[in-house]
Amino acid sequence: MVEQYKTVYEGGTGEIVEKKSRFIANVRPVETEEEALAFIEEMKKKYWDARHNCSAYILGERQEQMRCSDDGEPSQTAGKPMMDVLDGAGLTNTAVVVTRYFGGTLLGTGGLVRAYSAAVQEGLKNSRIITKYWGTELLVGTDYNGIGKLQYLFGQRQIPILDAEYTDQVQFTVLVPVSRVQEIRKAVTEATSGQASMEEKRSLYYAEVDGKYVRF
């Protein structure tokens, strides 16, 4: 697992016009090659009357899979520039299809590269991009004397509290980046003079969306 990676949380659509040719970009989050190919087919059916539906997608936490298609445009003028935009933005698990309605004027290879790149950038502007972090849900138990100390510690170190359960003790569920688990364990032990209990519940990816933490 990688510590963090960027991806699209919600896809978007963007459009540019270049010498009367329309370039419509549709961006979507995908987890597998099957999802990416199904999305491409869906766009081809939606825009069945267009001359070109060029595509690119990147998959895997380390961007292990990169694929693109010029769909009839001159080689290297559509799919590759589109993929370069995704790669340049540091994105993975993301697919994009750019549909071109020909406007009657040839753009040349340089013009095509610029137009397809610009369309993807416009699509990404209208998408929601997030950073997913690999973290651990840590259950921290304390008596009531330790509540303030732990709340201060978590706030100071920007560790989100997902839940707090109050019984005869208090149990916080916090999200800790995997690389910081030992640091936080040590800090909790010191803050509570070794009185807090700690249990690593599970590891997972999470991201902050609209001020809330979403687990994946």
Side-chain angles (χ1 to χ4, degrees), residues 3 17 62 119 139 177 185 192 200 208:
E3 282 190 29
V17 177
R62 294 179 174 82
L139 302 181
R185 275 182 165 275
T192 61
E200 293 180 30
E208 187 175 358

Side-chain angles (χ1 to χ4, degrees), residues 18 34 40 42-43 54 62-63 69 90 119 123 146 151 159 187 206:
E18 188 68 33
E34 289 73 23
I40 293 165
E42 179 188 329
M43 292 300 101
C54 305
R62 294 179 174 82
Q63 298 182 310
S69 167
Q151 288 174 328
I159 300 298
Y206 68 93

Side-chain angles (χ1 to χ4, degrees), residues 52-98:
H52 305 284
N53 285 288
C54 305
S55 58
Y57 58 89
I58 300 178
L59 296 169
E61 294 161 8
R62 294 179 174 82
Q63 298 182 310
E64 295 92 342
Q65 275 186 290
M66 294 186 175
R67 301 280 188 275
C68 61
S69 167
D70 294 312
D71 194 37
E73 292 282 29
S75 179
Q76 304 287 300
T77 63
K80 179 66 164 57
M82 291 164 57
M83 192 167 65
D84 287 345
V85 173
L86 297 181
D87 187 27
L91 292 169
T92 191
N93 291 352
T94 303
V96 60
V97 176
V98 175

Side-chain angles (χ1 to χ4, degrees), residues 87-164:
D87 187 27
L91 292 169
T92 191
N93 291 352
T94 303
V96 60
V97 176
V98 175
T99 301
R100 181 191 183 190
Y101 285 97
F102 185 55
T105 303
L106 295 174
L107 300 182
T109 55
L112 287 171
V113 168
R114 287 189 293 273
Y116 277 102
S117 299
V120 176
Q121 289 164 352
E122 197 65 26
L124 291 178
K125 278 183 198 172
N126 297 318
S127 302
R128 182 179 294 199
I129 294 170
I130 59 171
T131 300
K132 285 187 177 182
Y133 298 92
W134 183 241
T136 294
E137 279 186 1
L138 187 65
L139 302 181
V140 182
T142 182
D143 59 25
Y144 281 78
N145 294 324
I147 295 174
K149 294 173 186 175
L150 290 179
Q151 288 174 328
Y152 175 76
L153 185 154
F154 296 140
Q156 186 185 48
R157 296 178 186 243
Q158 297 181 310
I159 300 298
I161 299 173
L162 298 180
D163 191 29

